[in-house]
Amino acid sequence: MGPYLLGLRLSGRRVLVVGGGRVAQRRVPALLEAGAEVTVVSPSVTPALDDLIATGRVTWHARPYEVGDCDGAWLVQACTDDRSVNTAVAAEAEAKRVWCVRADDKDAAAAWTPASGRVGEISVAVTAGGDPRRAAGIRDAVVEALRDGTVDARRNRTKPVGVALVGGGPGDPGLITVRGRQLLAQADVVVADRLAPRALLDELAPDVELIDAAKVPYGRSLSQETINDILVDRARQGKFVVRLKGGDPFVFGRGGEEMIACAEAGIPVVVVPGITSAVAVPAAAGVPVTHRGVSQEFHVISVHVAPDDERSTVDWPGLARSEGTLVLLMAVERLAKVAETLLRDGRSPDTPVIVVQDGTLPTQRAVVASLSTVADRVSAAGIRPPAIVVVGDVVRVGQEVEMVRAERRP
C-alpha cells in the first residue's frame, strides 16, 4: 500500500535525529527550514552539522542513542549506519506512537521522507514507492516546470497585483532569475524592452497582452512617459503587469523612474533584480571585470552622450587616471571619441580593449584591440549595438585563458 501523504507543520515541535553522518546532514536543514526544534544524538557529527550546532540552531547530545531519547519528539529520524541502532530507535518510536523514518530500510519504516521542493508558496513532495533517486528526479522535473511557468501558474486564486519590474538578464533566456520567470508566467500584461530576452515572450499564454516598448537607437521608440502611463493604466484595470527589461532594472534601466510613477499613482511595485550585462557579457567573453593583482575596482559608465557633450556628467579625466576596469555601455557609436578622451587624459595607448556584441546569445562575437586602435577595428568589423566595451588589463586575463585552453586541446 502506498503512503498517506501529509504536510507536517513542525514549527516549535521537537524532532529527534539519531545519527550525525551524511544522511542526517541532508535531513536537518529541511527540518530547520520547517521551524522544527532539532535534537541530534550521535557520538560525532559532520562539519556541516557542527556549524549548525555552533550557531545554536541544533541541540547535540554527543553520545550513542539511549532508550528514552524519543520522549517528547513529534517525529524521529533514524539515520545511523548501524542497522541494529536504527531498529532500536524505530521500536521505541513505535511503542510511543511517534512517527519514525528509517534511512536504511524503507519497508521497516513507519514513515518516508519524500523528495521535496518549494517554489514560492507551492511545496512539492514525491515518494515514488520509497525509491529516493527516482523521487528526486520526478521532484526536479515538477519544480522546474513550476519555475519556468510550464505548469500554469496563472490559475492561482491569489495572483500578484500591481507592477513587477523584472530584470531579464543580458539576453540568454536561461539567465533570467527564477523569481523573474515565475512572475512572467503569472502576468496579464508584459511590457518588454528591446534588450529583454525575447525568446521568453514566445512562452506567454495567448491571452497575455504584449506591449513592445523597444527603444531602437536612432529609430522608433516609446517615450518613458508613455511607458509609465501604460504600467499605471493596466494595473488600475486590475491586471498584473510585468515590465520586462534587459539586464537589471536599476542599472541604466530607468527602473527608478517607473517605480516612482507607480508609487505616485498608488500602484504596488515589486522589483526583481537581474544579472546586469555590465558584468555578465564580459564574463561570457571570458573576461573578469576584477582580477587579483590586476584590477581591484571596476567602473560602469553609460556613454549615451559623448565625453565632450555638455550633458555628460562623467569624470573622464578621473577614469583615465584610474587603473581600474572600465565597462562602457551604449558606447559603440561614440567609441572613437571615448578612446580619444581617455588617451588625452592619460590612459596608455596599449591598454587592451574588448568589444562584445550580442553577449550571451548564439550570435555573440568580439573584437580585441588596443585603446589606440579599437575604434578603427570595431568599425572595420561592423560591430553594432547592443555591445559592451571593456577597457583594462583584465582583457589580457581572458586572452591568457584562451591561450591555455588552446595549448591543452588535442
Side-chain angles (χ1 to χ4, degrees):
M1 282 187 161
Y4 179 81
L5 297 182
L6 189 68
L8 298 181
R9 302 179 69 182
L10 294 175
S11 180
R13 292 180 167 89
R14 181 174 182 264
V15 175
L16 173 67
V17 178
V18 181
R22 289 180 296 174
V23 175
Q25 178 178 302
R26 292 199 305 268
R27 301 278 174 86
V28 168
L31 294 169
L32 292 174
E33 188 175 337
E37 295 180 356
V38 178
T39 298
V40 172
V41 174
S42 178
S44 61
V45 295
T46 66
L49 285 174
D50 193 33
D51 183 58
L52 294 173
I53 292 162
T55 59
R57 301 184 65 192
V58 173
T59 300
W60 178 31
H61 298 307
R63 56 169 175 76
Y65 158 77
E66 298 175 356
V67 174
D69 282 339
C70 293
D71 290 346
W74 292 73
L75 176 66
V76 175
Q77 299 259 359
C79 302
T80 77
D81 56 7
D82 187 326
R83 183 177 179 82
S84 63
V85 172
N86 290 342
T87 299
V89 172
E92 181 188 353
E94 184 76 14
K96 294 177 177 176
R97 297 187 176 183
V98 178
W99 293 105
C100 179
V101 178
R102 285 188 63 164
D104 62 332
D105 190 341
K106 68 182 180 66
D107 295 321
W112 296 340
T113 296
S116 59
R118 188 175 180 86
V119 180
E121 73 283 357
I122 302 172
S123 295
V124 175
V126 182
T127 58
D131 182 338
R133 290 188 178 180
R134 185 183 179 201
I138 296 171
R139 180 270 320 275
D140 292 344
V142 174
V143 167
E144 180 62 25
L146 286 168
R147 283 177 175 166
D148 65 19
T150 303
V151 174
D152 190 0
R154 299 178 70 217
R155 295 176 182 172
N156 267 338
R157 276 190 275 179
T158 55
K159 71 174 184 177
V161 296
V163 173
L165 306 179
V166 175
D172 181 341
L175 295 178
I176 189 174
T177 65
V178 171
R179 180 61 173 155
R181 196 150 189 173
Q182 289 171 355
L183 293 177
L184 188 62
Q186 295 175 293
D188 299 311
V189 180
V190 175
V191 183
D193 272 357
R194 180 176 67 96
L195 298 182
R198 311 296 288 189
L200 294 176
L201 303 180
D202 291 337
E203 302 175 4
L204 298 175
D207 61 335
V208 174
E209 182 185 6
L210 177 59
I211 298 172
D212 186 355
K215 292 184 173 67
V216 180
Y218 311 108
R220 67 178 183 83
S221 65
L222 204 61
S223 72
Q224 189 60 54
E225 292 73 18
T226 301
I227 294 172
N228 295 348
D229 290 342
I230 290 172
L231 299 179
V232 171
D233 174 71
R234 298 305 192 275
R236 281 178 170 165
Q237 293 178 28
K239 298 177 179 179
F240 176 52
V241 185
V242 169
R243 175 71 169 106
L244 183 63
K245 296 172 171 289
D248 182 277
F250 285 0
V251 180
F252 302 122
R254 305 188 77 166
E257 297 174 45
E258 293 166 353
M259 181 176 64
I260 291 171
C262 290
E264 290 177 343
I267 303 298
V269 180
V270 61
V271 180
V272 181
I275 302 174
T276 175
S277 58
V279 174
V281 169
V287 176
V289 293
T290 64
H291 191 74
R292 187 172 63 172
V294 177
S295 176
Q296 62 180 11
E297 61 179 318
F298 70 98
H299 307 264
V300 180
I301 303 101
S302 168
V303 195
H304 62 282
V305 294
D308 58 354
D309 192 297
E310 62 181 11
R311 294 169 294 173
S312 176
T313 60
V314 178
D315 180 11
W316 289 102
L319 293 175
R321 292 191 300 270
S322 167
E323 296 182 1
T325 305
L326 307 183
V327 182
L328 311 177
L329 312 184
M330 298 173 276
V332 170
E333 301 292 338
R334 288 162 286 278
L335 190 53
K337 180 61 70 173
V338 167
E340 175 188 324
T341 301
L342 291 173
L343 291 170
R344 182 196 65 208
D345 291 330
R347 277 269 177 162
S348 168
D350 297 326
T351 303
V353 182
I354 187 170
V355 183
V356 186
Q357 177 182 321
D358 294 341
T360 77
L361 296 174
T363 53
Q364 174 178 312
R365 63 189 184 120
V367 169
V368 178
S370 67
L371 187 57
S372 61
T373 63
V374 66
D376 290 338
R377 291 285 304 278
V378 165
S379 177
I383 296 291
R384 302 294 299 168
I388 301 294
V389 180
V390 183
V391 180
D393 290 336
V394 291
V395 175
R396 292 196 180 98
V397 176
Q399 292 177 295
E400 290 171 8
V401 171
E402 283 303 312
M403 290 175 61
V404 171
R405 287 175 175 167
E407 290 172 357
R408 296 179 67 88
R409 292 190 188 109

